[in-house]
């Protein structure tokens, strides 16, 4: 597999695991939460719990600063990526435990705030995929406004969602944990998160939005336009 550029952050190690019975009990609480709050087992990082909800129990996730969403309605996002999948009117979700925490704790809406973010796997020549990699960068709209806040990650059923197809990014073929549903979605449960739960807090880049706009216009496929 060709070299991966150094700005792509590999997923952190999972670290010590809790008892499987504790994890299963916490995941089972999603079924009875009726859209309410659930908590990870004591001692387990929130992102690890969320990742297990996805990969061991089949859920999808959506991060938001709004703790009171009862139904997600399809919407057309403001999206500058070249693919059509990300521009459709839909409810979007992540099949990953870290990516939605960023959306939950970045301080939005905020006038002038812009950000670039990705979660993806690189597809090898034999069709297998690498581990998950990430990129996060913000362009603050107001130097005095806080960049981070407490937020919520919603647990969603996977039924009705479809995954974004594989695509090219520069010299790579990539696969993103990006899912979309054309229909309204009622969350099964929600998990409270704080900025400290985001494992890449110390590795979020900052960029000049105007410079990125110029680079993106010259090279639409040059993401992340460093």
């Amino acid at each position: 597999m060709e070299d991966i550029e150094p700005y792509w952050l590999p997923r952190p190690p999972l670290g010590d695991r809790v008892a499987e019975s504790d994890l299963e009990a916490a995941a089972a609480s999603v079924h009875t939460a009726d859209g309410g709050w659930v908590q990870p087992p004591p001692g387990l990082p929130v992102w690890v719990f969320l990742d297990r909800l996805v990969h061991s129990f089949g859920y999808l996730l959506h991060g938001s600063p709004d703790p009171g969403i009862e139904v997600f309605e399809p919407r057309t996002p403001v999206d500058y990526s070249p693919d059509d999948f990300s521009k459709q009117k839909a409810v979007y979700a992540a099949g990953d435990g870290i990516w939605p925490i960023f959306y939950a704790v970045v301080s939005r809406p905020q006038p002038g705030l812009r950000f670039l973010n990705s979660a993806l796997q690189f597809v090898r020549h034999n069709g297998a995929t690498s581990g998950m990699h990430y990129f996060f960068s913000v362009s603050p709209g107001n130097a005095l406004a806080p960049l981070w806040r407490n937020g919520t990650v919603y647990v969603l059923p996977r039924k009705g969602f479809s995954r974004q197809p594989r695509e090219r990014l520069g010299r790579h073929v990539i696969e993103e944990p990006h899912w979309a549903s054309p229909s309204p979605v009622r969350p099964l449960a929600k998990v409270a998160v704080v900025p400290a739960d985001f494992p890449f807090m110390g590795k979020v880049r900052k960029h000049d939005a105007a410079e990125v706009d110029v680079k993106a216009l010259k090279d639409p496929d040059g993401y992340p336009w460093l």
Side-chain angles (χ1 to χ4, degrees), residues 133-218:
H133 286 73
Y134 305 86
F135 179 87
F136 301 100
S137 184
V138 296
S139 177
N142 183 342
L144 299 179
L147 274 176
W148 310 103
R149 56 172 292 170
N150 296 346
T152 303
V153 173
Y154 290 87
V155 184
L156 309 181
R158 190 170 297 210
K159 183 178 180 180
F161 280 87
S162 58
R163 186 173 184 174
Q164 182 168 348
R166 290 179 175 180
E167 59 182 335
R168 293 208 67 87
L169 177 63
R171 58 195 177 91
H172 302 289
V173 176
I174 61 168
E175 186 171 88
E176 299 180 70
H178 195 202
W179 295 70
S181 169
S183 303
V185 179
R186 185 177 295 276
L188 300 171
K190 52 189 175 183
V191 179
V193 293
V194 299
D197 292 323
F198 182 56
F200 292 119
M201 184 56 67
K203 297 183 178 181
V204 177
R205 293 171 175 260
K206 290 187 178 180
H207 65 272
D208 184 300
E211 290 183 5
V212 167
D213 287 344
V214 171
K215 292 179 180 179
L217 187 62
K218 292 181 179 179

Side-chain angles (χ1 to χ4, degrees), residues 4-225:
I4 297 173
E5 292 83 357
Y7 51 78
W8 289 109
L9 304 170
R11 187 211 303 261
L14 290 176
D16 295 335
R17 295 171 179 258
V18 298
E20 197 68 22
S21 58
D22 291 340
L23 181 61
E24 290 180 358
S29 67
V30 171
H31 292 289
T32 58
D34 193 26
W37 300 100
V38 297
Q39 294 182 335
L44 188 70
V46 173
W47 77 265
V48 176
F49 174 60
L50 294 174
D51 208 63
R52 288 295 301 274
L53 288 181
V54 171
H55 296 293
S56 297
F57 299 96
Y59 296 113
L60 296 175
L61 306 169
H62 182 105
S64 173
D66 184 354
I69 300 174
E70 296 184 356
V71 178
F72 287 95
E73 297 289 346
R75 64 176 183 83
T76 303
V78 178
D79 186 88
Y80 300 101
S81 56
D83 66 275
D84 291 331
F85 185 91
S86 301
K87 296 178 175 60
Q88 63 181 305
K89 184 177 182 179
V91 175
Y92 290 91
D96 177 78
I98 294 177
W99 199 14
I101 300 179
F102 175 80
Y103 277 92
V105 300
V106 69
S107 189
R108 57 190 178 101
Q110 183 185 123
L113 175 67
R114 300 265 298 274
F115 50 85
L116 301 170
N117 66 102
S118 297
L120 54 82
Q121 294 169 280
F122 296 93
V123 181
R124 298 182 173 91
H125 295 303
N126 63 1
T129 55
S130 72
M132 196 68 70
H133 286 73
Y134 305 86
F135 179 87
F136 301 100
S137 184
V138 296
S139 177
N142 183 342
L144 299 179
L147 274 176
W148 310 103
R149 56 172 292 170
N150 296 346
T152 303
V153 173
Y154 290 87
V155 184
L156 309 181
R158 190 170 297 210
K159 183 178 180 180
F161 280 87
S162 58
R163 186 173 184 174
Q164 182 168 348
R166 290 179 175 180
E167 59 182 335
R168 293 208 67 87
L169 177 63
R171 58 195 177 91
H172 302 289
V173 176
I174 61 168
E175 186 171 88
E176 299 180 70
H178 195 202
W179 295 70
S181 169
S183 303
V185 179
R186 185 177 295 276
L188 300 171
K190 52 189 175 183
V191 179
V193 293
V194 299
D197 292 323
F198 182 56
F200 292 119
M201 184 56 67
K203 297 183 178 181
V204 177
R205 293 171 175 260
K206 290 187 178 180
H207 65 272
D208 184 300
E211 290 183 5
V212 167
D213 287 344
V214 171
K215 292 179 180 179
L217 187 62
K218 292 181 179 179
D219 182 12
D221 298 321
Y223 182 90
W225 304 293

